[in-house]
Amino acid sequence: GTSAGARGEEERECACRPGSAWLRGARRGAVRASRRTAGSGMCGILCALSRESARAARFGIDLGRIEEALARRGPDGSRSYALCLQPSSGEDGKEATAVPSEQRPGVLHLYFAGSLLSMRKLGPGAAPGLAASDEDASLPYQPLVDEEGNVLLWNGEAWELGQQQLSQPGACLSDSLLLLARLKAAATEEEIIKLVSSIKGPWALVYWQASTRILWYGRDVVGRRSLLVHWPDELDDRLILASTCAAQGPWTEVPTGLHKVTLKSLDGDRWPENLQARAKSTEWADKQLAFIAAQRRDPRLIPANASPVHEVTEQLTTEEMEALARVEQQFAGEEMMGMPSEFQELCQRMVQRVQDQRPIGEATLIAGRARATNVMMKALWRATLIRTADIHWAESRYALGVLFSGGVDSTLLAGIAHFCIPPNVSVHLCNVCFDGGASPDRVAALDALHELKRMAPTRDWQLLDVNATLDSVEDGTTATLITELIAPSSTYMDYNIAAALLLASGTSGTKSRVLLLGSGADEQCAGYGRHRARFSEGGWVQLEQELGMEVRRLHHWNLGRDDRVISNSGREVRTPFLDERVMAAILELPMRLVLDLTQKRGYGDKLILRNCAECLGLHKAARRSKRAIQFGCHIAKQANVRYFGSNKKANHASAGHVGLSGHHPFFKNGQEHNNALQPPPRKEYGQTREPRPDSALSNRARRRRRSAGRASKQKRERKARQLVPETNAGQSTERHEIPHERKPCGWRHSPLRLILHATLLVSLFAYSRP
């Protein structure tokens, strides 16, 4: 009943708490721990609710495999804890008889397991007010249990907890121990919801409240930490919550927010049928989190006209000026007192540049964009600072990792991180390539490295080149690992992205336990090509709706998968662009100060972030166009050629959304089988693919489709005119050309084209003469 890394160690029995009506506990305290640090950090969590022992052999899902995956997420320590829940027989709460749980109807079992990746060095008073239940309780090994029988599984980082700043240089507080102490003090459900809503940072949790017999679980407002749920079914009639599922059975991503399942009056004979219906979701008690979750910008801050404007003469509205002033006020307090003077000068660089160019008013669009850039620089500095201030640098070998593509997002994060970390800390830029060092991301990373060295020559910048091949990520062992990590996602796009992230985060060139990642920038600031298509169709209003929809689906579209893949290497991913204050600032700013898709690609998309990069002197990175990781490292190109024949054929087949064929480990007849990656089944001759509707295409694609249709029609008509069968009796049916009909002349051979080319050549020759 212990975790995978702790099997075979000594087990200790813990007596149930005196006076408990429902609590009969058997604590499996086998702990596998590295004593070099004692801190709080990323963890892997598992909770199983069943009618018999959670580790019974009859279940279809093997918890041992899940615990092995959790041990890779948290290599510093792991343990498990089990509870036997028995209904009371009377109002006094005393048990009628003490019989084995297997012989008593209505008995439920809760099994908890967790692992720890330590980040902080703890000191005295790490968890004030929390009494230790054993000699290891002062250390945040998962799960955490207090004297009242409350159990907490915590995976995340609480930068703020109830207005208390926990991420500070030299911090010695454990967020998990402090959270358990405050959850214990919360007497009502409203107090628990309010407490959890006060957490700022990435998190996923499972909390068993013994007094009310409620199982709480949930994720942060964006879903930056993975949490999957398996509801009872024919394969396995347990309720299971886990950070990863090892691709066993049907699982789904837990929605963002706090949810609860009440077990107070649960009928053990009927519970698989009504358990999912008992799950209730709660609303965020914090206004800022509710604002971020809704992703609805003030309609007065959305422009009505989608035509290009001149930013020097265009004036901001009164509502836009007031919104900009409110956001500036949020980042002008005492929190900015520790900002380096050099960085403050960089923040003012664009404002000063605009003022020096020409005397303009404060209400002009160009002046507003300069002020918004100043605000975003401060917001990103604060977000990066709190994500690096609590790192114990000795454990990370004095290195900070950045998943680096050379684009504007990753280069901007690396540049801002320079002003947030000690001068003796190296910055490791992890870049992966599947094309022998010739991929676009590798070329961009080398250019960005030179710019970073020019910006901060005293910093130790190291570009860690990870060179791989398609075969190296599609052998049996690696393919099985990747599919287990991305599950429940199961497309070629997920596989390619996961393979690149796994190699980049698992490189042996860095010992850093923290990796910065630029997730969320494109979804908030319109970095993808599909955003331009939506802008062309419906202007600013439809673009705002598209961006809001993409941010709301991040938790099951990107973030859960990326967390499972990167954490498998024993490293924690941190995303400054998804900081609560950064996200709120982007939503509160007028939309045309954040982006402007009337400008060309590489300028208007992610406009505010490109201006921030310009302020840091990262000029080439600021103009680099967006390229997704699977395309930038060329793994998608090679996979498309291998499994679809070419990139063109892969695009026609919508390869990114094609499911993996013969790749997932399934349970068939109670046995597991793993197959190598196989291409999708080929279509039979004459079988056609359903064309995509015009509404799903960009303007250029629609024009191309209409042009191709006209050309195909003309070709068929021309062929029908030129070749006709003979139908006279007694004669053969050979086809003959019609000699008197003139063949139509296309543009390629038209006289007008030749005349235009000749005129152009004469003009060039005339102008080139001295």
Side-chain angles (χ1 to χ4, degrees):
T2 62
S3 60
R7 291 193 182 98
E9 297 188 23
E10 179 183 2
E11 293 187 357
R12 294 166 295 175
E13 295 294 331
C14 176
C16 63
R17 180 172 55 87
S20 172
W22 258 53
L23 214 62
R24 292 178 61 89
R27 178 162 186 178
R28 293 163 173 83
V31 178
R32 177 184 60 83
S34 172
R35 299 290 178 168
R36 56 189 180 186
T37 59
S40 178
M42 185 197 71
C43 305
I45 59 179
L46 166 65
C47 174
L49 173 66
S50 61
R51 288 182 294 179
E52 57 184 278
S53 176
R55 301 187 60 86
R58 72 170 185 85
F59 294 116
I61 296 178
D62 183 9
L63 296 187
R65 289 180 54 188
I66 297 179
E67 288 176 322
E68 290 174 359
L70 299 184
R72 294 193 296 269
R73 292 175 60 95
D76 290 337
S78 60
R79 68 179 174 185
S80 60
Y81 186 85
L83 290 176
C84 175
L85 310 179
Q86 299 181 4
S88 58
S89 60
E91 296 180 356
D92 57 355
K94 297 182 179 179
E95 298 177 358
T97 56
V99 299
S101 60
E102 294 80 1
Q103 302 176 11
R104 188 166 185 176
V107 172
L108 298 177
H109 297 259
L110 273 170
Y111 177 77
F112 304 91
S115 60
L116 171 69
L117 176 67
S118 179
M119 288 293 171
R120 301 171 185 164
K121 203 77 171 176
L122 294 187
L130 179 65
S133 58
D134 59 25
E135 64 270 20
D136 292 324
S138 60
L139 307 179
Y141 300 133
Q142 303 281 343
L144 298 173
V145 187
D146 62 15
E147 296 101 339
E148 296 184 359
N150 302 316
V151 184
L152 175 65
L153 287 170
W154 168 258
N155 173 26
E157 299 287 352
W159 315 124
E160 296 180 21
L161 179 60
Q163 305 299 324
Q164 181 178 359
Q165 296 284 342
L166 299 184
S167 179
Q168 299 175 359
C172 63
L173 293 176
S174 167
D175 53 357
S176 55
L177 293 174
L178 186 61
L179 177 61
L180 179 59
R182 296 196 177 183
L183 286 171
K184 174 186 175 182
T188 63
E189 295 184 10
E190 289 74 16
E191 293 180 358
I192 291 180
I193 296 173
K194 184 177 180 180
L195 174 62
V196 175
S197 298
S198 69
I199 301 174
K200 299 297 188 298
W203 58 266
L205 65 81
V206 176
Y207 175 61
W208 166 250
Q209 190 178 18
S211 59
T212 60
R213 307 163 190 174
I214 295 178
L215 184 66
W216 299 86
Y217 63 96
R219 301 167 72 179
D220 64 77
V221 66
V222 194
R224 289 161 286 186
R225 289 290 180 266
S226 171
L227 187 61
L228 305 175
V229 59
H230 167 80
W231 295 104
D233 60 4
E234 296 179 357
L235 173 67
D236 195 310
D237 62 357
R238 291 173 296 183
L239 166 63
I240 307 177
L241 296 159
S243 300
T244 183
C245 65
Q248 303 180 83
W251 293 73
T252 56
E253 297 272 1
V254 171
T256 59
L258 188 62
H259 317 277
K260 64 176 183 177
V261 175
T262 303
L263 306 179
K264 187 174 182 180
S265 59
L266 196 60
D267 185 356
D269 296 331
R270 296 177 51 253
W271 77 283
E273 289 77 16
N274 61 12
L275 186 59
Q276 188 170 359
R278 288 175 173 266
K280 305 297 181 182
S281 301
T282 63
E283 300 292 335
W284 294 108
D286 184 83
K287 293 183 178 180
Q288 185 183 70
L289 296 188
F291 178 59
I292 295 173
Q295 284 295 306
R296 293 189 181 91
R297 186 180 264 103
D298 188 343
R300 297 175 299 176
L301 305 181
I302 304 175
N305 188 3
S307 60
V309 297
H310 196 277
E311 61 180 6
V312 177
T313 58
E314 180 71 13
Q315 299 290 315
L316 296 176
T317 64
T318 303
E319 292 80 6
E320 290 175 331
M321 290 293 296
E322 292 175 354
L324 178 57
R326 286 194 300 269
V327 178
E328 285 180 322
Q329 186 64 28
Q330 296 175 9
F331 295 94
E334 298 180 355
E335 297 176 348
M336 302 296 136
M337 294 297 291
M339 183 180 296
S341 58
E342 182 182 359
F343 189 78
Q344 294 182 20
E345 296 176 1
L346 294 176
C347 292
Q348 294 290 336
R349 176 176 292 183
M350 180 162 289
V351 177
Q352 190 66 36
R353 186 187 306 168
V354 170
Q355 294 175 352
D356 294 343
Q357 285 179 353
R358 58 179 63 85
I360 58 176
E362 294 183 357
T364 58
L365 182 58
I366 187 172
R369 287 175 174 172
R371 292 168 59 187
T373 301
N374 183 10
V375 170
M376 187 53 55
M377 288 278 285
K378 295 179 179 179
L380 289 176
W381 173 81
R382 179 187 177 278
T384 307
L385 179 67
I386 65 176
R387 281 159 176 78
T388 55
D390 65 333
I391 299 176
H392 188 242
W393 293 111
E395 288 298 322
S396 293
R397 303 296 191 272
Y398 297 96
L400 175 67
V402 181
L403 293 181
F404 195 69
S405 66
V408 59
D409 307 333
S410 57
T411 309
L412 177 60
L413 285 184
I416 293 180
H418 164 69
F419 298 96
C420 301
I421 59 179
N424 62 332
V425 175
S426 302
V427 179
H428 292 171
L429 310 173
C430 306
N431 180 270
V432 63
C433 174
F434 285 84
D435 198 9
S439 66
D441 276 3
R442 179 60 54 83
V443 177
L446 291 172
D447 283 344
L449 176 63
H450 294 315
E451 286 193 305
L452 289 171
K453 287 184 176 181
R454 187 165 55 248
M455 181 198 75
T458 59
R459 175 72 62 186
D460 181 22
W461 304 97
Q462 298 183 23
L463 181 61
L464 304 182
D465 300 332
V466 181
N467 296 310
T469 62
L470 190 61
D471 293 332
S472 65
V473 296
E474 292 189 351
D475 64 89
T477 304
T478 307
T480 300
L481 175 62
I482 295 176
T483 50
E484 289 181 352
L485 293 175
I486 66 175
S489 303
S490 59
T491 66
Y492 276 88
M493 180 184 68
D494 295 311
Y495 188 94
N496 291 336
I497 294 175
L501 291 177
L502 184 66
L503 293 179
S505 60
T507 175
S508 59
T510 179
K511 300 299 182 183
S512 174
R513 292 192 161 197
V514 173
L515 295 177
L516 298 183
L517 184 62
S519 296
D522 297 291
E523 289 79 5
Q524 296 182 84
C525 303
Y528 291 113
R530 60 179 178 268
H531 298 145
R532 287 190 174 272
R534 183 53 62 93
F535 182 76
S536 301
E537 293 175 359
W540 292 94
V541 175
Q542 286 198 19
L543 175 61
E544 195 271 340
Q545 295 173 358
E546 177 76 11
L547 296 178
M549 181 268 294
E550 293 195 1
V551 174
R552 287 192 297 269
R553 74 181 183 188
L554 268 177
H555 68 280
H556 66 84
W557 201 264
N558 294 1
L559 298 179
R561 175 201 63 208
D562 296 349
D563 176 71
R564 291 189 292 274
V565 172
I566 296 175
S567 301
N568 186 73
S569 302
R571 293 185 169 94
E572 180 178 349
V573 59
R574 297 183 177 180
T575 52
F577 290 121
L578 294 176
D579 179 81
E580 286 84 356
R581 292 201 177 185
V582 173
M583 297 184 69
I586 292 176
L587 280 175
E588 292 172 1
L589 284 171
M591 197 170 182
R592 56 178 176 169
L593 302 187
V594 177
L595 55 99
D596 185 4
L597 296 190
T598 62
Q599 300 185 26
K600 64 181 181 180
R601 189 181 180 192
Y603 287 81
D605 49 312
K606 297 188 289 190
L607 173 67
I608 193 169
L609 301 183
R610 297 184 187 278
N611 290 342
C612 291
E614 289 277 4
C615 290
L616 294 180
L618 307 171
H619 304 294
K620 288 185 178 181
R623 295 292 161 248
R624 199 158 285 129
S625 300
K626 169 64 181 178
R627 187 179 285 109
I629 184 174
Q630 68 270 29
F631 303 115
C633 69
H634 271 183
I635 183 176
K637 177 181 179 181
Q638 297 191 19
N640 290 343
V641 172
R642 174 174 294 185
Y643 298 116
F644 296 91
S646 66
N647 272 328
K648 184 177 181 180
K649 293 181 180 178
N651 292 335
H652 282 302
S654 299
H657 302 286
V658 172
L660 295 173
S661 176
H663 189 205
H664 268 291
F666 294 100
F667 281 94
K668 289 188 176 180
N669 299 324
Q671 295 181 355
E672 175 190 357
H673 73 93
N674 299 321
N675 297 329
L677 187 62
Q678 299 292 335
R682 296 183 178 274
K683 295 183 180 296
E684 298 295 335
Y685 179 75
Q687 186 180 0
T688 59
R689 181 178 64 90
E690 185 71 19
R692 298 174 65 187
D694 285 349
S695 60
L697 300 176
S698 63
N699 290 339
R700 178 181 297 180
R702 282 196 292 268
R703 290 194 298 267
R704 211 181 300 135
R705 172 181 285 184
R706 288 194 291 266
S707 177
R710 287 193 298 266
S712 178
K713 181 179 180 181
Q714 292 173 1
K715 184 177 180 180
R716 291 194 302 269
E717 293 176 351
R718 187 163 60 246
K719 188 174 181 180
R721 287 195 301 267
Q722 295 173 0
L723 302 176
V724 295
E726 295 288 348
T727 58
N728 295 336
Q731 296 184 3
S732 64
T733 58
E734 296 179 2
R735 296 176 182 267
H736 303 278
E737 293 189 8
I738 303 176
H740 60 80
E741 180 159 318
R742 182 179 178 183
K743 296 181 179 180
C745 182
W747 169 251
R748 180 175 296 180
H749 303 287
S750 67
L752 180 60
R753 179 175 181 269
L754 299 178
I755 294 173
L756 290 177
H757 280 197
T759 305
L760 180 61
L761 291 175
V762 171
S763 301
L764 292 175
F765 178 77
Y767 282 109
S768 63
R769 296 182 62 184

